[in-house]
Amino acid sequence: AFVGRCHDDEIGDIWERVDFTVEDANPRAAWCEEARKHGGGGGGGGSSGPRSLTGLMNQNAGAITNGGGNNGGFDAGEGDGYKWSQNDEEVELRFPVAAGTKAKYVKVNFARTTLKVIVAGQTLVNGELGGNAEVEDSTWTIEDIKHKGKELCVTICKKEEGRTWPFVLR
């Protein structure tokens, strides 16, 4: 299971992960109480999208089996210290990171038109995106790559699905 927490400031166009503490796991924590209220939590903002993880997974499975969309395939390339790929729905950046890298060393600031990635105090990228991001749906993970070490995988969901970005980051 994955449990995460973020700070989402729509006015400031800021979305960032924050530490999830032991106190946050308490079912009586303020955020749990808020999430239990009608319309609380989830970040859906009244959208008509999937209301559960299962619904989201089923929607994504349909998109995969239907063969994607309008860009005619999958585009990929390399940037300064990372590899990238994009399809109709998202852009993915993969950064090699040290074997001992933990989530607490990673800070990713997603904004509508910019991205900043910092690992262990070092800025890996800080720039303008090639399109608009769906900030609430974008995420990152640290993955063990067999015989290669670890990678930080940053997934940016596209606001305008089906549109190929002319560049990923600059």
Side-chain angles (χ1 to χ4, degrees):
F2 172 80
V3 178
R5 184 172 170 210
C6 70
H7 168 77
D8 187 3
D9 178 355
E10 292 294 327
I11 294 170
D13 196 23
I14 298 170
W15 190 97
E16 63 185 347
R17 291 188 186 276
V18 294
D19 290 337
F20 190 87
T21 65
V22 173
E23 292 82 23
D24 290 327
N26 183 339
R28 297 193 193 289
W31 75 270
C32 288
E33 298 294 332
E34 184 66 27
R36 281 191 204 89
K37 293 178 185 175
H38 179 71
S47 72
S48 60
R51 302 286 296 169
S52 69
L53 180 57
T54 302
L56 181 61
M57 290 170 61
N58 289 339
Q59 175 183 313
N60 286 344
I64 291 168
T65 57
N66 291 336
N70 300 331
N71 78 357
F74 203 79
D75 297 328
E78 292 187 22
D80 187 17
Y82 62 92
K83 293 181 180 179
W84 64 268
S85 58
Q86 71 173 312
N87 61 26
D88 286 342
E89 289 127 11
E90 63 190 27
V91 174
E92 184 177 86
L93 285 76
R94 292 185 164 272
F95 302 86
V97 293
T101 301
K102 298 182 184 204
K104 67 182 179 179
Y105 305 141
V106 177
K107 184 172 183 177
V108 179
N109 288 330
F110 294 100
R112 186 176 51 81
T113 60
T114 61
L115 175 71
K116 185 174 185 178
V117 177
I118 301 171
V119 176
Q122 179 183 356
T123 301
L124 302 184
V125 294
N126 183 16
E128 175 190 1
L129 295 171
N132 291 325
E134 187 65 63
V135 175
E136 289 182 4
D137 296 333
S138 298
T139 190
W140 61 268
T141 58
I142 297 174
E143 301 176 6
D144 286 315
I145 306 301
K146 197 172 192 172
H147 306 296
K148 291 186 179 182
K150 286 190 172 186
E151 279 186 338
L152 171 63
C153 178
V154 177
T155 304
I156 306 160
C157 293
K158 294 179 177 180
K159 185 102 174 153
E160 302 92 11
E161 289 187 10
R163 182 176 164 268
T164 301
W165 287 4
F167 61 91
V168 173
L169 192 64
R170 66 176 171 196

